[in-house]
């Protein structure tokens, strides 16, 4: 058991940190203060102390115009920590802290993966040069930012000639009360992603107290054998006499860490609100406790999106990889991609998911076009649109890396073969980006006809994968499906290959179903029959069209007969309503009607478009609605606003997450822009003006940016004053723009009183502007005590409050 330290910010504030002063600059200008804080923690029982570098990457130091001093500040921080250790506890170690950049990566924000990677790489290089024992990437709320920071840290370690024995990399996420990060990632998915990428330790810090974090630690422990770290806040913050107080005393917090240790954590400490007294209590409690033995987790093959994981293998129900997102043989899709349209790609994704696809294969191979920008765009769009994990289907290593880099999950690569060029290009990418890899037994154009030859070639590919550091649970096998037209024994050899694969490797198996019937009549019938036999022979994951009625019915029937459908529930659900004497053979029966883009109601089409995030399609739909004489106000209220209400309800109930909400909002904005282009003088679309700002002293603006984007996309004029804004500036902006509403936020407990000061300044100026407040540390109680009119717990709530208020203003006119 190892004890980390507690909050640095809390201690710096107690030591006199002034509002607006860069905390990391203390490493250079006030090193004695930082050294004393380290010594206090070491004397209280800390085995590992954290450098004062949480915001010392270039992107964060820009807020203080210190971006050119990254190396100096980070190395100084490590030096201070080492001096404190040498004087107090020589066996202790140093963890170099890297916190969030405060920026979102594309497509949620405007930062590229490389931008974020580069800022973390610069900081990691400096920390390792300074001599840290750990790099701790902490308080991260977006898995893409964590992926970039982790890769940067691993690369910095390698470049310095260090190994895991010298510098371990820790990944700590921060979760909300719903058990997910702000962008929707649950703990088990986060653990799988960073485990596959090469993290050494994983865990949770900040946001929550020990009691709220314990079940999240249990989820992490259920999917990984990596060591686990946990640094909770000293309880959930409360407002007492207009001061933010973390309610857990030192005596209370120590015992509350015992369930966390029993859940699997071997590194523990504190975050916001914790002090040396808290750390002493934690050390006394956990070091005097014998934890429950941690259960070993047998490695499994997982594929994930940002928000969802699926397991592949012989001990779980077979899964479907949807094959439709592929322009090969689809002239219309290929032409749309040439034209820059991804409407059909997104519709194919949604249709396949609705039809039962568990993974979506993504192929952007359009003749004569560079796959890289197409693949990057497809990954951006689909990762925002669906929770379903993706399979990256390309032979182009540049396009493959672009996809893997920008995919916020653990992808499947489809595929690698036995040719040396394929192996040397694909396997390093699979290892670097933590992807699973499908192995196809082909080499130098050779198509092995017998099962034995395929297994031998597959074994050679698997052995090469081991050389690149890939493991059994990273690999999947394809039996190689040749068309029946190639020989009457082709199907038999494929089925035999599946059986031999299962006996020899027990890896998940994947195959393209439709290949068997190429050039044959009655293809759906042959595909369905072959699928049934393949599943019985050891196929775990067919690549197929789930929209093909015969193939889908064969799949559901087979999984039912093979015992993967308890009580035949899925079969009955799918086919229990059919009339057996009239059910069609190759066309799905007509089920319940649903709203679609083909509805006769233009407003229904617009609503559907917004809900599904169809930014490209909304433009034509709005034009058609206007051409048919529908009033722009009806389009806004009965189409766009109603759709966003549905999106908001789904977000509130956990059915949608921030990426999908942002996509829907962008679609709505595209609709507004279209109406304004056609009818420029239409004032009915201007909902009103809202001033937004982060309060003075607070340099965090991620939450404010989300709210501003959602409000703007919902038709409001936004005056964004940025971060660290004086109350007087906010008051003047309200006056200058005649704003009926102002939204102010605080992301730091220390700057929350500035909300009170800002509201007081607004009222002292005699302004009746509606004041809406929010932020990670703000609560309804605080909003009430501060005199705010509205508390918005998130971006969707802010939009709903704004809509309600501005509609009430319209009614009073």
């Amino acid at each position: 058991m190892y004890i980390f330290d507690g909050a640095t910010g809390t201690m710096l504030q107690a030591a006199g940190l002034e509002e607006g002063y860069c905390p990391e600059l203390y490493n250079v200008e006030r090193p004695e203060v930082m050294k004393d804080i380290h010594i206090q923690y070491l004397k209280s029982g800390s085995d590992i102390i954290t450098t004062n570098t949480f915001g010392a990457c270039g992107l964060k130091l820009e807020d203080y115009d210190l971006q050119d001093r990254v190396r100096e500040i980070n190395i100084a921080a490590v030096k201070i920590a080492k001096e404190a250790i040498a004087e107090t506890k020589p066996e202790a170690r140093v963890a170099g802290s890297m916190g969030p950049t405060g920026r979102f990566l594309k497509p949620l924000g405007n930062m590229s993966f490389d931008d974020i990677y580069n800022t973390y790489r610069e900081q990691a290089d400096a920390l390792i040069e300074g001599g840290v024992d750990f790099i701790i990437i902490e308080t991260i709320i977006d898995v893409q930012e964590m992926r970039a920071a982790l890769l940067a840290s691993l690369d910095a370690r390698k470049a310095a000639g260090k190994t895991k024995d010298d510098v371990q990399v820790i990944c700590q996420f921060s979760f909300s009360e719903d058990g997910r990060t702000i962008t929707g990632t649950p703990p088990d998915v986060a653990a799988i992603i960073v485990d596959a990428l090469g993290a050494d330790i994983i865990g949770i810090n900040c946001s929550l107290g020990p009691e709220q974090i314990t079940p999240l630690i249990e989820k992490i422990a259920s999917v990984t054998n990596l060591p686990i770290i946990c640094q909770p806040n000293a309880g959930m913050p409360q407002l007492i006499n207009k001061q933010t107080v973390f309610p857990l005393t030192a005596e209370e917090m120590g015992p509350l860490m015992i369930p966390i240790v029993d859940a699997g954590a071997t590194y523990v400490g504190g975050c916001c609100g914790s002090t040396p007294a808290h750390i002493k209590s934690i050390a006394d409690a956990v070091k005097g406790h014998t934890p429950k033995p941690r259960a070993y987790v047998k490695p499994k093959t997982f594929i994930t999106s940002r928000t969802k994981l699926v397991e592949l293998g012989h001990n779980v129900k077979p899964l479907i990889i949807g094959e439709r997102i592929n322009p090969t043989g689809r002239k219309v899709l290929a032409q749309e991609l040439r034209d820059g349209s991804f409407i059909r790609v997104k519709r194919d994704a949604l249709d396949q998911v609705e039809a039962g696809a568990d993974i979506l294969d993504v192929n952007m191979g359009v003749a004569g076009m560079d796959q890289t920008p197409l693949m990057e765009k497809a990954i951006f769009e689909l990762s925002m649109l669906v929770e379903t994990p993706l399979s990256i289907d390309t032979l182009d290593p540049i396009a493959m890396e672009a996809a893997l880099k920008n995919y916020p999950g653990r992808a499947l690569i489809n595929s690698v073969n036995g040719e040396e060029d394929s192996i040397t290009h694909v396997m390093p990418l699979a290892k670097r980006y933590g992807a699973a890899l499908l192995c196809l037994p082909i080499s130098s154009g050779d198509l092995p006809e017998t099962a034995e030859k395929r297994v031998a070639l597959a074994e050679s590919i698997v052995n090469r994968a081991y050389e690149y550091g890939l493991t059994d649970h990273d690999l999947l096998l394809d039996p190689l499906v040749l068309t029946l037209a190639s020989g009457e024994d082709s199907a038999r050899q494929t089925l035999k290959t599946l059986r031999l694969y299962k006996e020899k490797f027990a890896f998940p198996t994947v195959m393209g179903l439709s290949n068997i019937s190429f050039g044959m009549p009655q293809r759906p019938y042959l595909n369905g029959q072959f699928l049934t036999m393949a599943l019985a022979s050891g196929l775990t994951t067919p690549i197929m069209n789930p929209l093909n009625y015969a193939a889908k019915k064969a799949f559901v029937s087979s999984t039912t007969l093979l015992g993967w459908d308890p009580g035949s529930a899925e079969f009955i659900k799918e086919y229990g309503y059919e009339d057996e004497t009239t059910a069609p053979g190759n066309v799905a029966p007509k089920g319940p009607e649903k709203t679609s883009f083909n509805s006769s109601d233009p407003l229904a089409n617009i609503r559907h478009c917004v809900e599904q995030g169809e930014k490209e399609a909304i433009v034509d739909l709005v034009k058609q609605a206007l051409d048919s004489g529908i009033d722009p106000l009806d389009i806004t209220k009965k189409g766009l606003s109603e759709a966003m209400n549905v999106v908001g309800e789904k977000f509130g109930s956990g059915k949608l997450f921030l990426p999908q909400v942002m996509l829907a909002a962008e679609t709505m904005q595209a609709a507004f822009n279209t109406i304004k282009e056609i009818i420029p003088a239409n004032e009915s679309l201007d909902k009103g003006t809202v001033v937004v700002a982060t309060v003075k002293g607070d340099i965090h603006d991620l939450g404010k940016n989300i709210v501003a984007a959602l409000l703007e996309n919902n038709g409001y004029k936004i005056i964004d004053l940025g971060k660290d804004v004086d109350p007087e500036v906010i008051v003047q902006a309200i006056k200058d723009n005649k704003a009926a509403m102002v939204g102010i936020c605080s992301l730091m407990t220390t700057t929350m009183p500035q909300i009170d000061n800002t509201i007081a300044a607004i009222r002292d100026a005699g302004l009746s502007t509606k004041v809406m407040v929010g932020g990670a540390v703000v609560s309804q109680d605080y909003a009430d005590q501060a005199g705010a009119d509205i508390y918005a717990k998130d971006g969707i709530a802010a939009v709903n409050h704004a809509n309600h208020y501005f509609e009430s203003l319209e009614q009073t006119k």
Side-chain angles (χ1 to χ4, degrees), residues 182-201:
I182 285 178
T183 53
T185 305
D188 48 358
V189 171
I192 289 165
I193 292 170
V194 299
D195 191 342
L197 276 167
D200 300 311
I201 301 168

Side-chain angles (χ1 to χ4, degrees), residues 459-506:
E459 183 174 20
S460 69
I461 297 172
V462 168
N463 287 334
R464 291 298 303 277
Y466 293 157
E467 293 174 7
Y468 281 93
L470 298 168
T471 63
D472 289 353
H473 58 278
D474 297 323
L475 304 175
L476 300 87
L477 298 175
D478 190 311
L480 185 59
V481 182
L482 302 180
T483 174
L484 280 171
S486 67
E488 60 185 20
D489 200 39
S490 59
R492 188 182 301 121
Q493 291 300 324
T494 298
L495 297 174
K496 184 178 180 180
T497 304
L498 286 168
R499 291 192 292 271
L500 292 177
Y501 276 168
K502 185 175 180 180
E503 292 171 7
K504 186 173 182 64
F505 303 102

